[in-house]
Amino acid sequence: MNEKQMKIGEYLVKEGLIANEQLDEALELQKINDCRLGEVLVDKGVIDDLTLTEMLARLYQLPFMRLKDQHIDQNVLNIISPELMQTYKVLPVKLEGNNLTLATNNPLDVGALQDIQYKCGYTIYPVMASLRDINGTIKEHFDTLLDVNAVNQTKVVQSAETAVTNLVDTIIRKAIKENASDIHLEPQRDNMRVRFRIDGVLYERSPIDKMLERNVLSRIKIISGMDVAESRRPQDGRTSFSNGYEEYDLRIATLPTQIGENMVLRILTKTFVNRDFSTLGMEERDSKVLENLMHRPYGLILVTGPTGAGKTTSLYSMLNKLNQTSKNIISVEEPIEYEIKGINQTSVNNMLGYTFSTSIRHILRHDPDIIMIGEIRDVETAETAIRAALTGHLVLATMHTNTASGAITRLLEMDIEPFLVSSAVCGVMAQRLTRKLCLHCKKSFVPDEAMMESIKKEMGTIEFKELCKATGCEACSYTGFSGREAIYEIVSVNDEIRALILKNATEKELLDAATRNGMKTLKMAGMSKVVEKKTSLEEILHITSIDT
């Protein structure tokens, strides 16, 4: 016997609406006819439809509504197709903001409510109404339409759903075509703003009509495995997307705001495209320094910079160079951004207590030669990484500091013993991403004295007559820039720098020692690209201004 049906039956007996004998008989018929207990009782005349519905409303603690007493706007009725109403025996009654009041006789059919919510894009609030009331109201309002234009109406509804699907696909395809790294969907009072992050900068694109906002968000939530009904708390999801040539991973995040849900889609290629450091923008001298650091048998190499500086790309490029059959390489990331054949990749799970620090301890039991740590963000992870580096492992990791020398002082500020830092850290690389001038429209000009001084301050005596600036054309979507490459500064920890670390030296003292040993600062590396006419002076001053 169905437990749910028994509960309803017992409630009816308890309320004195039916006798035990009537319940037993109805339950037997219900098994034979495979229908709801209430329908059997109404068909047998044991209880009338209205009384049954009022009782169920009390049982489910939902409002009860007499549909004949309601004036239902035709625009509200048009939210759901007549076919869907008949299938699920529901009726839209009232729309207030994003909340749709829906009359139903079976609120336990959660699947039906979720399907309706997805298709209409509104948050559903169910109320109880009698089945005869629902069927009668549907027939009253849609009799002619169902008899004469049922096929056309179905086509219209399907067309509307297809239109939303196509809109979402079009936005994603356009973002991929423009090499955007992120899509921002932001609710406004009169529409939904669409912005693409291209080469690190947000650009506005055509907005989405306010009427389609919920439908678009619901579509993306469905394909990324999120809860469509939840709009009051942040959610994360992911899905795949193909543009016919390449597969992409989409990482989706929502955030409730005062006027709706904000959504960001991060676009990632499924496989990492191996790139040599020279193609990433690294100068030959820095490439040689980094190669020497990477081929040490043990030690800690740190890659630093703000979010979006290309640290992950650099780390993956390093791993690709180190990837050999003779080496066991294990990475721990949050999340795994690219899959690399031959490397064992694992992802942290903070909810399960599988953090960066705990994962390193497990990794060490798997006989690794090289370990990559997605980020050092706390003392425990830093100490564990240093211990791994001191026990015969090459460890690659990222930190969020502005300069290479700043990463060393950050470790010291974490109260890690100076002798451990000096012994473990073999090198630090800081980086930024600079936008490249569009080859189709960049324009040469003669710099003024102030510009000349800005460059010579960093580069010393250097001969150049012209620089280039951004203008904008159709090829670069009128931004003046197309693509990015990195600028680097690399500290190779030698005996002089080790001695300074043991003395708890300041960032300035470490920087001076590194430059004496031939290190180019980020600003120097950037100015080189300005002189080479690869980027603009304004761009370099902007991305390195935090260090001045």
Side-chain angles (χ1 to χ4, degrees), residues 461-478:
T461 303
I462 184 170
E463 293 298 323
F464 63 95
K465 294 181 179 179
E466 290 184 335
L467 301 178
C468 278
K469 62 182 179 181
T471 55
C473 65
E474 187 176 354
C476 61
S477 300
Y478 301 95

Side-chain angles (χ1 to χ4, degrees), residues 320-353:
N320 261 310
K321 278 188 171 291
L322 295 166
N323 194 3
Q324 301 172 16
T325 305
S326 60
K327 300 290 184 183
N328 180 21
I329 304 176
I330 305 177
S331 74
V332 54
E333 308 168 49
E334 185 188 25
I336 297 170
E337 293 199 12
Y338 305 104
E339 295 176 8
I340 304 182
K341 186 178 180 181
I343 293 177
N344 301 299
Q345 297 170 271
T346 182
S347 180
V348 300
N349 189 327
N350 292 315
M351 291 182 66
L352 298 178

Side-chain angles (χ1 to χ4, degrees), residues 447-462 464 467 521 523-528 530-531 536-538 540-542 544 548:
D448 58 28
E449 281 298 320
M451 289 182 173
M452 299 279 281
E453 285 301 316
S454 294
I455 294 171
K456 289 181 178 180
K457 179 183 176 183
E458 302 298 330
M459 303 290 292
T461 303
I462 184 170
F464 63 95
L467 301 178
T521 65
K523 203 164 250 185
M524 292 167 67
M527 291 302 178
S528 293
V530 173
V531 173
S536 68
L537 178 60
E538 293 79 9
I540 293 302
L541 292 175
H542 171 68
T544 61
T548 58

Side-chain angles (χ1 to χ4, degrees), residues 271-526:
T271 54
F272 178 70
V273 178
N274 188 21
R275 297 175 64 185
D276 188 80
F277 279 106
S278 61
T279 66
L280 294 174
M282 187 175 287
E283 295 182 8
E284 186 178 355
R285 180 196 174 278
D286 286 338
S287 291
K288 289 179 179 177
V289 173
L290 186 59
E291 287 276 353
N292 288 334
L293 292 173
M294 287 165 49
H295 287 95
R296 294 193 181 190
Y298 59 87
L300 174 61
I301 301 174
L302 295 171
V303 180
T304 76
T307 301
K311 299 187 296 297
T312 301
T313 299
S314 293
L315 280 173
Y316 276 105
S317 295
M318 293 165 71
L319 289 179
N320 261 310
K321 278 188 171 291
L322 295 166
N323 194 3
Q324 301 172 16
T325 305
S326 60
K327 300 290 184 183
N328 180 21
I329 304 176
I330 305 177
S331 74
V332 54
E333 308 168 49
E334 185 188 25
I336 297 170
E337 293 199 12
Y338 305 104
E339 295 176 8
I340 304 182
K341 186 178 180 181
I343 293 177
N344 301 299
Q345 297 170 271
T346 182
S347 180
V348 300
N349 189 327
N350 292 315
M351 291 182 66
L352 298 178
Y354 187 62
T355 62
F356 280 117
S357 58
T358 56
S359 64
I360 300 169
R361 289 196 288 270
H362 291 290
I363 287 170
L364 289 171
R365 297 172 192 147
H366 286 259
D367 187 31
D369 297 291
I370 300 167
I371 302 169
M372 193 271 271
I373 304 168
E375 184 184 347
I376 293 177
R377 60 175 66 145
D378 54 54
V379 176
E380 188 179 3
T381 304
E383 289 177 338
T384 312
I386 285 174
R387 280 199 295 272
L390 291 173
T391 53
H393 306 89
L394 183 64
V395 180
L396 314 178
T398 72
M399 287 184 74
H400 285 288
T401 61
N402 294 324
T403 63
S405 51
I408 295 173
T409 55
R410 175 67 57 83
L411 291 173
L412 296 172
E413 288 165 0
M414 288 179 171
D415 289 331
I416 295 173
E417 292 294 338
F419 77 90
L420 292 175
V421 177
S422 66
S423 301
V425 179
C426 57
V428 186
M429 180 172 75
Q431 66 181 80
R432 300 287 189 280
L433 289 178
T434 176
R435 293 183 295 169
K436 295 189 293 183
L437 289 166
C438 174
L439 295 174
H440 299 280
C441 65
K442 68 178 182 179
K443 187 176 180 181
S444 297
F445 72 99
V446 177
D448 58 28
E449 281 298 320
M451 289 182 173
M452 299 279 281
E453 285 301 316
S454 294
I455 294 171
K456 289 181 178 180
K457 179 183 176 183
E458 302 298 330
M459 303 290 292
T461 303
I462 184 170
E463 293 298 323
F464 63 95
K465 294 181 179 179
E466 290 184 335
L467 301 178
C468 278
K469 62 182 179 181
T471 55
C473 65
E474 187 176 354
C476 61
S477 300
Y478 301 95
T479 65
F481 297 90
S482 180
R484 290 189 291 178
E485 64 180 26
I487 55 174
Y488 302 89
E489 65 178 29
I490 304 178
V491 173
S492 181
V493 178
N494 56 18
D495 290 341
E496 181 184 359
I497 293 175
R498 284 194 190 92
L500 287 171
I501 294 172
L502 288 170
K503 294 177 183 177
N504 240 323
T506 64
E507 183 175 341
K508 175 73 166 55
E509 291 172 324
L510 291 168
L511 174 62
D512 290 343
T515 51
R516 280 197 302 272
N517 284 278
M519 184 194 80
K520 270 190 173 183
T521 65
L522 286 168
K523 203 164 250 185
M524 292 167 67

